[in-house]
Amino acid sequence: MKDLRVAWTLVKTLFKDRIFYPGRLVTDTVAVMARCGIVLLLYSYVFGLRGGTVAGITFDVAAWSMFLYFWLSVLRIRELSKQIIQDVQSGAVELMLNKPVSYLWYRWWWQVGAGLYPFLVILVLGTLVLFITIGFPATMLNVLFLPTILLSIVGGIFLALFIYAIIGLTAFWIEDSNPIFWIVDKMVMILGGSYLPVALFPDFVKQLAIYSPFGASQFITHTVYVSWQDEWWRLLAIQLFWIVVLGSITYLVFQRARRRVSVNGG
């Protein structure tokens, strides 16, 4: 219960802070509009040249898929790795490990709380803009869409937290973990369907996007495809599998990191 109260306090405090100091919101909004907007304009032109359909999907499906990726990225969970690496390199982690609240628990909820306000605002703004310009694809009007996309969002957030926590924790053994972060982050970006919808991938790459933890953390981008209506339970099961596996790895790595600090006199 104490950990839950700490989590709620962190999220609530950071949420209010973002409301009163909206600089982060402006930055995130401009970034999403610039990156996502330019990509969607390009794809609009390409789909127009191809008669409105590419590899069996329409432009509205591709547009919503990519928007959902950029929207989820507004939480900036990827910055968790950098925060942990910075804590280790500065020595701040040694003080934080001695606190009554778990260091990782604190860092997880800090990251979620810091991005929650722009996350919600951009959801509303982006949904309105896309609805007005291209409308909702039929797949988003299916009765299964809302409950399954919520499950994929929650699962994707937990999986991303574990992925980036593991990367950050390698800083206890590696002087600079940023190269690992760059590789994994690019894998998440590519297999998650950021600039190319997963439905347009070659078959081998598509299988990597489905069965790897990097692609599984972004299953939200699959929720607008027609295939999601038949495969949602299998994809969510894959996501749950990786949550259990990477959650266990995170726990083991964190325990070894704690012992490493104790042995070295931290």
Side-chain angles (χ1 to χ4, degrees), residues 23-38 74 76 122 125:
R24 179 71 166 271
L25 174 62
V26 174
T27 301
D28 289 333
T29 303
V30 172
V32 170
M33 288 178 61
R35 294 164 60 196
C36 187
I38 292 173
V74 172
R76 295 181 179 271
I122 291 175
L125 294 177

Side-chain angles (χ1 to χ4, degrees), residues 144 147-149 151-152 210-211 219 222-223 227-241:
L144 286 173
T148 55
I149 193 176
L151 289 174
S152 70
I210 292 175
Y211 291 104
F219 274 168
H222 294 243
T223 58
S227 60
W228 177 260
Q229 299 173 26
D230 297 321
E231 298 183 347
W232 65 268
W233 61 271
R234 182 172 67 90
L235 297 183
L236 291 181
I238 293 172
Q239 197 175 61
L240 179 61
F241 167 78

Side-chain angles (χ1 to χ4, degrees), residues 27-44 59-74 122 125-127 129-130 133-134 193-197 221:
T27 301
D28 289 333
T29 303
V30 172
V32 170
M33 288 178 61
R35 294 164 60 196
C36 187
I38 292 173
V39 171
L40 294 187
L41 287 174
L42 175 62
Y43 273 91
S44 175
F59 172 67
D60 56 349
V61 171
W64 278 100
S65 174
M66 287 185 285
F67 166 71
L68 290 173
Y69 171 88
F70 285 109
W71 169 55
L72 189 60
S73 69
V74 172
I122 291 175
L125 294 177
T127 299
V129 171
L130 284 183
T133 54
I134 64 175
S194 58
Y195 295 105
L196 181 67
T221 62

Side-chain angles (χ1 to χ4, degrees), residues 24-170:
R24 179 71 166 271
L25 174 62
V26 174
T27 301
D28 289 333
T29 303
V30 172
V32 170
M33 288 178 61
R35 294 164 60 196
C36 187
I38 292 173
V39 171
L40 294 187
L41 287 174
L42 175 62
Y43 273 91
S44 175
Y45 179 73
V46 172
F47 273 81
L49 292 177
R50 299 294 298 271
T53 304
V54 177
I57 67 170
T58 56
F59 172 67
D60 56 349
V61 171
W64 278 100
S65 174
M66 287 185 285
F67 166 71
L68 290 173
Y69 171 88
F70 285 109
W71 169 55
L72 189 60
S73 69
V74 172
L75 278 176
R76 295 181 179 271
I77 295 177
R78 61 198 296 270
E79 293 185 359
L80 174 64
S81 295
K82 297 180 180 179
Q83 292 292 338
I84 297 176
I85 292 171
Q86 183 178 351
D87 288 341
V88 174
Q89 292 178 343
S90 67
V93 69
E94 298 177 8
L95 298 175
M96 300 174 75
L97 285 173
N98 294 321
K99 301 296 182 182
V101 176
S102 169
Y103 168 73
L104 277 184
W105 183 263
Y106 169 81
R107 273 289 169 222
W108 283 336
W109 285 105
W110 178 280
Q111 207 60 49
V112 171
L116 186 58
Y117 180 59
F119 179 76
L120 296 176
V121 172
I122 291 175
L123 169 63
V124 176
L125 294 177
T127 299
L128 285 175
V129 171
L130 284 183
F131 173 70
I132 292 171
T133 54
I134 64 175
F136 292 130
T139 52
M140 293 181 67
L141 303 178
N142 187 282
V143 67
L144 286 173
F145 177 75
L146 186 57
T148 55
I149 193 176
L150 290 175
L151 289 174
S152 70
I153 291 171
V154 173
I157 290 173
F158 274 103
L159 189 51
L161 287 172
F162 291 141
I163 290 173
Y164 288 106
I166 292 172
I167 297 171
L169 291 172
T170 60

Side-chain angles (χ1 to χ4, degrees), residues 165-235:
I166 292 172
I167 297 171
L169 291 172
T170 60
F172 282 91
W173 292 271
I174 304 174
E175 183 175 350
D176 185 3
S177 299
N178 283 307
I180 299 176
F181 167 78
W182 296 331
I183 294 171
V184 173
D185 192 52
K186 293 301 181 289
M187 291 288 288
V188 172
M189 182 182 297
I190 294 170
L191 298 179
S194 58
Y195 295 105
L196 181 67
V198 176
L200 302 183
F201 286 172
D203 187 63
F204 172 71
V205 182
K206 187 183 297 184
Q207 296 305 309
L208 284 178
I210 292 175
Y211 291 104
S212 71
F214 314 116
S217 66
Q218 303 296 325
F219 274 168
I220 184 176
T221 62
H222 294 243
T223 58
V224 294
Y225 299 147
V226 174
S227 60
W228 177 260
Q229 299 173 26
D230 297 321
E231 298 183 347
W232 65 268
W233 61 271
R234 182 172 67 90
L235 297 183

